[in-house]
Amino acid sequence: MNIENPKSLIVIFGATGDLANRKLFPSIYRLFIGGKLSKHFGVIGVARRPKTNDEFRTNVKEALQEASIPVSDEAIIDEFCRHFFYHPFDVTNKDSYQSLNQLLSSLDEQFQVGGNRIFYLAMAPEFFGTIASKLKSEGLTDTAGWKRLVIEKPFGHNSPSAEELNEKIRDAFSEDEIYRIDHYLGKEMVQNIEVIRFANALFEPLWNNRYISNIQITSSETLGVGDRASYYEKSGALRDMVQNHMLQMVALLAMEPPSRLQTEEVRSEKVKVLRSLRRIHIDEVDDYFVRGQYDRGTINGKETIGYREENGTEPESNTETFVAGKLLIDNFRWAGVPFYIRTGKRMTVKSTKIVIEFKDMPMNLYFPAGEERRPNVLVIHIQPDEGITLHINAKSSGPSSGTIPIKMDYSNNSVNSMNTPEAYERLLYDCLRGDATNFTHWDEVALSWKFIDSISEAWAMRKANDFPNYAAGSMGPTQSDMLLEKDGFHWWPLDH
Ligand code: BG6
């Protein structure tokens, strides 16, 4: 098999949904025009409502336009769309699977894909288990080529439900056939964390509790809950962002260098970090975690409503739209170094950044005790800017012995990329080539839920009496600042 131009059929369950339209169709198209898909591919859109192939292809074209993909040549788009087929489907009905199987067999012939099949579950999670079981029982996983299951989050809503789901899908697919998506792992600069750490002799020797005082990870959004209240009310920011994206970034920042850059090696180092995360007892949650919910406010000069006024939310909702937390990693490298995380909706800016704050010099001649410290700081800009900034001190010009702060900047957006590939494009390509490194292994999912469960249980038991507790357009509740202040730190501003 030519691994660079993989052949496969891709079945997308939930093909009329938001994810398929906004992310998957544009990503498949970019792979196609980028020459990364051979002509041997077919996409079968599966969803409940009836639709013809032509109608589906029109939807796909519209999705490309929505994604602002320049359509320079209609003929290319038409050629692309000829690979798309639609199959109306009832998740629980055997016949639906059997007719889908027939379609797969005939497209397998037509596009000569050698029996390779990707089943992409881009739909309501309550059906994940049923679909996986039926794919097996109705023979769709019985194929001459390879088969892979791509599964979106949420992967359960706590430890027991994740385990239950995992058992169901493991019955039909082996662990190495399961690709659990965490789209943060497809982001250019998240992938860059490993390179910055392990390809620079400058950083890696300092990457430990001797030299780093604390690490801060912020992922803030300006958008509110939008039309996702029915999902979000049950999830909240802790399950929506922390259990997956934030903990994945912690794992990448904290892991030991893998012995090789291979899937198993990288994953097992991440698993070790998650295993070393200090579990928070249900009674201690308030010492380590802060929750918030947005109120009315102003974002970019526009007035916005509070979370409890959004469509589909409860007037007394206890759902958190903001989380800040302090994580401790009990291992030799990180003992005593807090990893602070915060994420929320309706905050000041859309930004994801990692700040690594270094310790002071043992005796700092230029910043005597009692004066303002100016520690070295390394900032990894994940989005919307992509790059790194190193903050150092230098002498101010002239006769004084004063110092000035200096920023050394590398901007990935301007140097490296006309267009860095979208996370989904990269992840789909990885899946097509059978590279699971940037997908989450079950062990990572299981450990993340174990860490999260005591926090969510504590919050479910104790209603937040102060909700809503931050204005839209702010950086979250004041308790989030206090979380760092009590350790003698502060959140570095996002424009740092
Ligand atoms: C998703 C969450 O996983 O990540 C959303 O479900 C959130 O609530 C989104 O908005 C943030 O992703 P990004 O790539 O925009 O930072």
Side-chain angles (χ1 to χ4, degrees), residues 159-433:
S159 229
S161 58
E163 251 165 56
E164 195 183 315
L165 171 60
N166 199 49
E167 271 167 31
K168 278 198 179 158
I169 61 173
R170 282 297 305 275
D171 203 34
F173 293 85
S174 61
E175 178 63 32
D176 62 0
E177 292 171 333
I178 302 171
Y179 289 67
R180 297 180 195 79
I181 289 237
D182 181 318
H183 77 280
Y184 267 56
L185 297 182
K187 289 185 192 286
E188 180 72 23
M189 286 305 295
V190 172
Q191 297 192 348
N192 215 333
I193 293 173
E194 281 174 79
V195 183
I196 293 167
R197 288 192 53 196
F198 303 135
N200 290 298
L202 190 64
F203 294 129
E204 192 47 30
L206 307 182
W207 214 263
N208 56 49
N209 54 7
R210 249 183 105 186
Y211 299 104
I212 291 179
S213 70
N214 73 95
I215 291 185
Q216 305 176 7
I217 309 173
T218 300
S219 191
S220 60
E221 296 185 73
T222 50
L223 292 179
V225 67
D227 53 11
R228 296 167 73 217
S230 66
Y231 152 75
Y232 201 83
E233 274 284 90
K234 288 186 236 106
S235 135
L238 187 70
R239 293 185 174 96
D240 187 48
M241 292 290 292
V242 179
Q243 182 269 335
N244 36 66
H245 313 319
M246 304 302 279
L247 288 186
Q248 282 293 325
M249 288 191 279
V250 169
L252 287 168
L253 287 162
M255 73 185 199
E256 293 301 314
S259 52
R260 271 168 302 165
L261 283 178
Q262 280 175 359
T263 308
E264 290 315 314
E265 316 291 336
V266 174
R267 281 169 158 186
S268 78
E269 293 306 336
K270 282 163 68 192
V271 165
K272 282 190 212 155
V273 173
L274 296 170
R275 215 177 270 142
S276 315
L277 263 187
R278 188 180 302 174
R279 298 274 174 81
I280 299 169
H281 191 268
I282 202 156
D283 297 327
E284 303 168 327
V285 169
D286 291 348
D287 298 334
Y288 290 90
F289 269 78
V290 168
R291 55 181 157 166
Q293 188 189 71
Y294 63 82
D295 201 351
R296 297 178 179 184
T298 312
I299 296 190
N300 298 329
K302 253 185 75 186
E303 291 192 4
T304 56
I305 56 173
Y307 178 74
R308 292 178 175 185
E309 299 165 287
E310 301 270 14
N311 223 343
T313 61
E314 291 290 323
E316 297 282 305
S317 175
N318 193 41
T319 302
E320 78 286 352
T321 61
F322 174 95
V323 175
K326 169 176 160 179
L327 279 57
L328 293 170
I329 298 172
D330 289 324
N331 65 17
F332 208 77
R333 187 188 281 259
W334 293 115
V337 180
F339 282 64
Y340 299 106
I341 56 168
R342 68 178 161 169
T343 180
K345 296 207 181 281
R346 287 277 189 246
M347 292 173 67
T348 321
V349 281
K350 168 83 182 161
S351 168
T352 304
K353 271 192 208 322
I354 296 165
V355 173
I356 292 109
E357 181 178 330
F358 291 89
K359 286 189 175 166
D360 267 342
M361 304 279 290
M363 193 195 81
N364 197 326
L365 297 170
Y366 293 94
F367 297 98
E371 286 196 12
E372 189 212 349
R373 294 160 55 243
R374 212 191 285 147
N376 293 133
V377 167
L378 172 69
V379 185
I380 305 179
H381 309 268
I382 307 284
Q383 62 183 14
D385 308 329
E386 294 178 353
I388 51 179
T389 306
L390 185 59
H391 294 258
I392 58 173
N393 296 300
K395 181 182 171 305
S396 47
S397 315
S400 100
S401 64
T403 65
I404 48 162
I406 293 197
K407 271 188 190 186
M408 294 168 76
D409 262 325
Y410 160 66
S411 162
N412 198 46
N413 312 56
S414 49
V415 176
N416 205 357
S417 58
M418 286 296 288
N419 48 9
T420 44
E422 256 261 18
Y424 273 93
E425 178 183 344
R426 206 188 289 266
L427 294 175
L428 261 171
Y429 188 50
D430 283 354
C431 173
L432 280 158
R433 290 181 306 147

Side-chain angles (χ1 to χ4, degrees), residues 95-158:
D95 297 342
S96 283
Y97 291 85
Q98 286 165 2
S99 50
L100 175 60
N101 205 9
Q102 282 161 12
L103 179 61
L104 280 166
S105 304
S106 84
L107 294 180
D108 192 316
E109 281 276 288
Q110 180 174 340
F111 294 112
Q112 294 287 300
V113 297
N116 299 335
R117 296 177 174 181
I118 291 179
F119 300 100
Y120 196 124
L121 307 189
M123 57 177 320
E126 58 263 35
F127 299 121
F128 289 171
T130 314
I131 296 176
S133 311
K134 285 256 184 323
L135 288 175
K136 182 178 178 191
S137 63
E138 299 316 313
L140 284 83
T141 52
D142 253 335
T143 178
W146 46 252
K147 57 180 192 298
R148 290 174 191 150
L149 181 76
V150 183
I151 190 158
E152 279 287 335
K153 72 165 227 280
F155 199 92
H157 62 272
N158 57 12

